[in-house]
Amino acid sequence: MAGLSYASALRIAAREMRSSRGKFFFVVLSVAIGVAALTGVRGFSASFRGTLLMRARSILAGDLSARMFQQPTPEQEKGLKEIEASGVKVSPVTELLSMVSATTTMDPLLVSLKAVDPAEYPFYGAVDLMPAGSLRDVLTADTVIVADDLLVRLKLKIGDSLKIGSKAFRIASVVTNEPDRLSGSFAAGPRVLISREGLEASGLLAPGSHAGQRYLFKLPTPRNGAAISDKDVADLKERLVKMLPEAQVTDYRETNPALAQGLDRATSLLSLMSLVALVLGAVGVAMAMRAHLQQRLDTIAIMKSLGARSGQIMRIYLLQTLLLGLLGGVLGVALGVGVQLAFPLLLAKLINVDTELQVQWQTVATGLAAGILTTLLFTLPALLDIRGVRPILILRRAVEDNDDPFVSALFNKLRKNVAQIGAAALILAGLAAIATTLSDSVAVGRAFSLGLVAVLLVLLAASAAVLSGLRFLLNKTRLSLPSSVRHGLANLYRPGNPSAALLAALGMGVMQIMTVYLVQQSVVSDLHISSAPNLPNVFLVDITSDEIEGVKVLLKGQSSVTAAPELLPVVSSRIIALDGRPASEVKLKNFPKRMLQSISLSWFEAPPAGVTVTKGKWWTAGQSADAGKVPLVAVSERQAERLGVHVGSTITFAAQDTRFVATVAALTKTDGQHAFSRAEFMLPREALKGLPVVWYGGVHADPQRVGELQRALYKAYPTVTVINVAQALETVRAVVIQITYVIQFLAAFSIFAGIIILASSIAGTRYRRIREVVVLKTLGATRARIATVFSIEFAVLGLVAGIVGIGFANVIARVLLKQLTAEYHFVWRWNALALLGTAGLTVATGWAASHRILGQKPLEILREE
């Protein structure tokens, strides 16, 4: 073997693979399932995420939106034209309040007027009309589109004329839903859509008009056909924030708190699942390949006896490893592509998402490369061990065999062997590179690889400690335990048994699977709350104190109302000082100072539904009683950031002729799903005692029967404005529900794949038990005796790995959920079931792979060896 070429080494590697198909089955299976999970989950999630982001853009009607409370200055108009010249589409939307009237009766009505360019608006989504039609065709310079409640109030129908300003317009259609209904103005009065030409012809845009201006932006699609990147959106947003300092600039991810939170959490979870699939596959590869190379020690020793050098032998097994990685990777990619294409069909009945049935070739390439690379990385320490094999091993292997790979390689060899240290560093770097590629974040890649090493070290230490504890316990109770139990427990630390390595591998696998399960359970639970079918979808504005009780009775009697109303009192106020500084001197963040003259205060004795305290503390009953003398206020995080206040700051309010200074006691965050989300300044009731109050509210009504509720309220309380956002919220709710289904489905698939990989890792220990069975049978042990010993060993192994893995999973899940702003709950039932399931899986898999050994004669097994 003086000049072993790569071709010869490849032939030897392939010949050995053919002769050891059973052993290599577990290696190929681990790689294939890991790559399949990686490719399937990542490929489908990429398509699904693209679909979700398009739906989010539809809810905003653009990639970004900039809301201004006055017309732009000439300098700002110049900046907007420069942005438009760069390829970004810009469409202005003007919103204002106006009086309109029927041309026949001249009855006046206050409406919310929205002027758009029908040739451009909306950039994403569509305006739903009744009868059905295209906005571009229906809305012209002489027509308007109105909400159904305007027809009810003015007793008009489609085709009648409506006078707006100095011009009469024909009512061309009824608007049932707008894509940007949730991001637009919620001003009082029915909605009226008018073209920009029509608005100019009406004469309403006189100099000094207080019309609000909102600009929608759509970035150009990249030339390679890829999706618009988040970075491009963020760069344009930063530019707009600087150019329009008093504008409120939002992107498509901020249109609705529940949707934005769902998108962020889904993205994080899908990346986590991809990484978990990678690690579980690597665990299976490491265990199976280590088992194979340990079985080939005799062959390696013989080859060295015949003059082969370590480098030549390593070449053979390196090529063998690459072949296995390539075989498993190709098989995994094929399975993953099938899974990726099957996911939309399997989920078709659960979610109404038209994800494109196309192969994500980038994901395929990533999965194949990750499969080969992880196979090579995790077998590298075992390949390097070949250098230490001596020909004399054939004669004394039975005495000195100690093939616990992790304990020997990681603790002993790392101190003496520079190559092993280099291999460990290379594995770490490779994992970091793969994790960075999968998560699209260098920080995530670095944290993942370092965290994986830290967890592995802790798992090894915990496994070693558990084994030492078992040995100590066995020494103390040896005489009082049945012989089968003694032998089963002793097997865990017998010479040559890789118990510490297997415990660490199983523990890590259980940890990864349970982490995915715990995180997705908590996230899905939160998403279900935000997509509950009884959240307010109709909002009521300007209810007087004299009307509030009657409105409550009316709502209670409406069959279309499906949940109790959420009503909040509002006191009009203004802010005149912040931390003692006059408001005129304070620098605000993207918040026009004139808005300080119109601040709404509300009173609550406890945080209302959907409101959580993020900093500080809510007031106690005693503090609430003293609020007339020492006022306290809870401020929403968003307003606090704009005003530059924090817990402990003071805000001077002026309501009517009353002035008072309130101390910020808490900062709050709302889920955006309740009527109480409107409350941005909350005080104890005593602090606002005696001030005039107007009530606002929200109620959930059947989306198909909102018209009934509008008519009933208009008939009894004509001054109460009803804002119907039922269809818009149904869109958001549908998207959130889709996110929950996909998260659950992909998590279940990842967990299933992980279980199979762990099972193959356990089954890979079958070949280690052959020699032990031979010895026990030669000494006269019966088949039942050996089965009992092995069962106890498998069960204890599973229980210990389950305890360690589940314990770490709960710790990691708690940290991850904190990062995702989701609540962590320890559920005894699921943890106990996971522990029993791990033990059951270990026993079942161990016996599924080992039962044939018991039925064979010792001589047959020795001949196979």
Side-chain angles (χ1 to χ4, degrees):
M1 300 183 70
L4 184 67
S5 65
Y6 278 98
S8 299
L10 184 61
R11 284 195 299 271
I12 295 172
R15 189 180 302 117
E16 187 172 288
M17 286 175 61
R18 286 195 299 271
S19 64
S20 304
R21 287 188 293 269
K23 297 176 183 178
F24 288 124
F25 171 77
F26 299 115
V27 181
V28 174
L29 181 64
S30 296
V31 177
I33 295 177
V35 172
L38 181 64
T39 307
V41 170
R42 188 169 170 79
F44 177 73
S45 64
S47 300
F48 180 71
R49 184 173 183 270
T51 303
L52 282 182
L53 294 182
M54 188 60 68
R55 296 287 292 271
R57 286 178 164 94
S58 299
I59 294 172
L60 185 66
D63 292 314
L64 294 105
S65 169
R67 177 188 293 279
M68 305 177 66
F69 298 93
Q70 57 190 10
Q71 297 301 309
T73 64
E75 184 179 350
Q76 290 171 342
E77 285 185 347
K78 181 181 176 182
L80 290 171
K81 289 180 180 178
E82 290 176 355
I83 290 176
E84 196 167 8
S86 67
V88 177
K89 289 185 178 181
V90 182
S91 181
V93 177
T94 303
E95 295 172 311
L96 69 156
L97 294 175
S98 176
M99 298 299 294
V100 302
S101 61
T103 55
T104 53
T105 63
M106 300 303 290
D107 292 334
L109 178 66
L110 181 68
V111 299
S112 174
L113 204 62
K114 178 178 178 180
V116 300
D117 179 1
E120 294 284 352
Y121 171 88
F123 288 132
Y124 300 97
V127 177
D128 296 331
L129 304 176
M130 187 177 64
S134 167
L135 183 70
R136 180 175 298 189
D137 298 332
V138 174
L139 188 61
T140 67
D142 300 315
T143 63
V144 292
I145 298 172
V146 302
D148 181 60
D149 54 341
L150 181 138
L151 301 181
V152 173
R153 290 176 180 244
L154 293 181
K155 298 180 175 62
L156 296 175
K157 63 182 183 299
I158 295 175
D160 289 344
S161 294
L162 185 70
K163 187 176 181 183
I164 303 176
S166 58
K167 181 177 171 61
F169 297 85
R170 182 176 61 86
I171 299 175
S173 186
V174 173
V175 58
T176 57
N177 190 31
E178 306 155 63
D180 58 341
R181 184 68 177 107
L182 294 177
S183 57
S185 172
F186 273 14
R191 303 281 282 173
V192 176
L193 269 65
I194 189 172
S195 67
R196 299 197 65 79
E197 294 87 349
L199 180 62
E200 291 176 5
S202 70
L204 292 177
L205 279 184
S209 170
H210 289 290
Q213 194 77 355
R214 183 160 52 93
Y215 288 91
L216 297 176
F217 301 87
K218 181 183 181 183
L219 278 75
T221 303
R223 292 182 180 179
N224 60 4
I228 298 170
S229 69
D230 291 343
K231 183 180 183 302
D232 292 338
V233 175
D235 290 344
L236 179 57
K237 182 178 180 180
E238 184 179 356
R239 182 177 177 183
L240 289 171
V241 168
K242 291 180 180 178
M243 189 178 73
L244 308 172
E246 292 196 342
Q248 295 179 4
V249 183
T250 57
D251 62 40
Y252 64 94
R253 297 177 65 91
E254 301 171 300
T255 52
N256 181 272
L259 182 59
Q261 190 178 65
L263 283 171
D264 289 341
R265 290 176 174 178
T267 301
S268 299
L269 264 179
L270 294 176
S271 296
L272 173 65
M273 291 175 197
S274 298
L275 293 173
V276 166
L278 167 70
V279 172
L280 291 175
V283 168
V285 167
M287 294 299 298
M289 280 302 292
R290 172 67 67 168
H292 166 66
L293 289 175
Q294 288 295 328
Q295 288 292 314
R296 307 308 296 174
L297 286 179
D298 287 348
T299 302
I300 294 170
I302 292 172
M303 292 170 71
K304 284 196 172 184
S305 299
L306 297 175
R309 295 191 301 272
S310 295
Q312 294 173 328
I313 299 174
M314 288 175 64
R315 184 181 302 172
I316 295 171
Y317 288 100
L318 176 63
L319 290 173
Q320 192 177 84
T321 299
L322 291 174
L323 283 173
L324 290 170
L326 182 61
L327 180 61
V330 170
L331 180 60
V333 164
L335 291 172
V337 169
V339 166
Q340 178 186 336
L341 297 179
F343 273 160
L345 302 177
L346 294 173
L347 291 170
K349 294 183 179 180
L350 297 179
I351 61 174
N352 183 26
V353 176
D354 297 326
T355 49
E356 297 182 9
L357 290 174
Q358 61 180 12
V359 177
Q360 298 281 336
W361 291 110
Q362 183 178 358
T363 301
V364 168
T366 302
L368 184 59
I372 296 174
L373 184 57
T374 51
T375 304
L376 182 60
L377 286 174
F378 279 82
T379 55
L380 191 57
L383 291 173
L384 291 175
D385 281 346
I386 291 174
R387 298 174 311 152
V389 177
R390 298 288 180 265
I392 194 67
L393 177 68
I394 304 172
L395 301 177
R396 62 186 188 190
R397 180 182 174 205
V399 181
E400 293 190 354
D401 186 8
N402 184 359
D403 60 352
D404 190 331
F406 289 96
V407 173
S408 62
L410 199 58
F411 286 109
N412 299 328
K413 293 185 179 180
L414 286 180
R415 293 181 300 178
K416 304 175 183 178
N417 197 322
V418 176
Q420 291 286 357
I421 296 175
L426 193 59
I427 291 174
L428 183 61
L431 281 176
I434 296 172
T436 300
T437 302
L438 295 180
S439 62
D440 301 318
S441 169
V442 176
V444 171
R446 183 170 58 248
F448 177 80
S449 53
L450 292 175
L452 185 65
V453 170
V455 169
L456 181 58
L457 290 173
V458 175
L459 282 171
L460 283 169
S463 301
V466 169
L467 291 177
S468 298
L470 283 175
R471 178 178 291 185
F472 176 79
L473 177 66
L474 200 57
N475 288 335
K476 294 293 184 182
T477 60
R478 187 178 299 274
L479 297 179
S480 59
L481 292 176
S483 61
S484 298
V485 175
R486 291 202 310 272
H487 289 157
L489 295 176
N491 266 358
L492 292 170
Y493 54 83
R494 71 181 185 276
N497 191 351
S499 296
L502 191 56
L503 278 174
L506 284 177
M508 179 172 289
V510 172
M511 179 194 72
Q512 300 280 354
I513 292 172
M514 276 298 291
T515 299
V516 169
Y517 177 79
L518 293 172
V519 172
Q520 70 89 22
Q521 275 287 96
S522 181
V523 168
V524 166
S525 177
D526 283 1
L527 288 175
H528 276 312
I529 293 173
S530 63
S531 62
N534 59 352
L535 293 172
N537 59 2
V538 177
F539 295 91
L540 312 178
V541 180
D542 294 336
I543 308 171
T544 66
S545 297
D546 295 333
E547 295 172 329
I548 187 64
E549 294 302 324
V551 169
K552 290 180 181 178
V553 173
L554 186 148
L555 294 175
K556 189 175 182 180
Q558 288 293 310
S559 60
S560 60
V561 175
T562 60
E566 299 178 357
L567 302 169
L568 68 152
V570 173
V571 174
S572 295
S573 176
R574 61 187 190 277
I575 294 176
I576 59 176
L578 295 169
D579 285 323
R581 293 181 60 193
S584 58
E585 301 177 6
V586 175
K587 185 177 181 180
L588 305 178
K589 185 176 181 181
N590 290 102
F591 193 69
K593 288 185 179 179
R594 70 182 185 86
M595 296 297 291
L596 297 177
Q597 303 302 309
S598 178
I599 296 295
S600 297
L601 309 180
S602 302
W603 74 66
F604 295 98
E605 300 307 324
V611 175
T612 55
V613 176
T614 57
K615 291 183 180 178
K617 293 182 179 180
W618 197 268
W619 43 84
T620 63
Q623 291 174 318
S624 178
D626 295 336
K629 300 177 182 177
V630 187
L632 299 173
V633 61
V635 185
S636 70
E637 284 184 331
R638 187 176 180 183
Q639 285 289 22
E641 183 181 2
R642 290 172 174 172
L643 301 177
V645 298
H646 50 81
V647 174
S649 296
T650 59
I651 304 176
T652 304
F653 296 102
Q656 298 288 333
D657 296 328
T658 303
R659 288 191 180 191
F660 58 92
V661 179
T663 301
V664 178
L667 299 184
T668 63
K669 181 177 68 175
T670 67
D671 60 7
Q673 307 303 303
H674 293 268
F676 304 120
S677 299
R678 178 185 172 88
E680 296 184 321
F681 296 89
M682 293 170 280
L683 299 91
R685 181 166 187 163
E686 192 66 27
L688 302 178
K689 187 176 182 180
L691 295 174
V693 177
V694 175
W695 291 78
Y696 291 79
V699 65
H700 183 272
D702 183 341
Q704 306 303 321
R705 300 175 61 190
V706 175
E708 296 178 20
L709 177 61
Q710 288 179 311
R711 290 177 176 83
L713 280 167
Y714 175 66
K715 183 177 181 181
Y717 302 98
T719 60
V720 175
T721 300
V722 180
I723 300 175
N724 176 17
V725 292
Q727 293 301 326
L729 286 177
E730 281 299 303
T731 300
V732 173
R733 180 171 172 266
V735 175
V736 173
I737 290 174
Q738 290 160 4
I739 292 173
T740 62
Y741 279 133
V742 169
I743 288 176
Q744 286 176 307
F745 191 84
L746 294 185
F749 178 78
S750 297
I751 290 170
F752 174 73
I755 290 173
I756 294 178
I757 292 173
L758 285 186
S760 70
S761 300
I762 299 167
T765 64
R766 168 179 181 261
Y767 297 97
R768 302 173 182 271
R769 304 183 184 281
I770 294 176
R771 188 179 298 272
E772 183 179 354
V773 170
V774 170
V775 173
L776 291 175
K777 281 198 169 186
T778 303
L779 294 176
T782 63
R783 195 180 306 178
R785 173 68 174 238
I786 298 174
T788 304
V789 171
F790 279 3
S791 296
I792 293 172
E793 179 185 352
F794 288 142
V796 174
L797 196 65
L799 287 172
V800 173
I803 291 171
V804 175
I806 292 169
F808 278 107
N810 280 273
V811 173
I812 294 173
R814 184 167 188 168
V815 174
L816 287 176
L817 289 172
K818 185 177 181 180
Q819 296 296 320
L820 294 174
T821 64
E823 291 188 14
Y824 163 81
H825 300 286
F826 182 83
V827 183
W828 283 102
R829 181 180 60 182
W830 291 115
N831 283 280
L833 286 175
L835 180 59
L836 294 176
T838 303
L841 174 69
T842 308
V843 173
T845 307
W847 275 118
S850 305
H851 74 280
R852 283 186 63 250
I853 299 174
L854 297 181
Q856 292 179 292
K857 303 295 183 182
L859 186 59
E860 295 176 2
I861 298 174
L862 290 173
R863 283 173 177 167
E864 288 184 6
E865 283 282 279

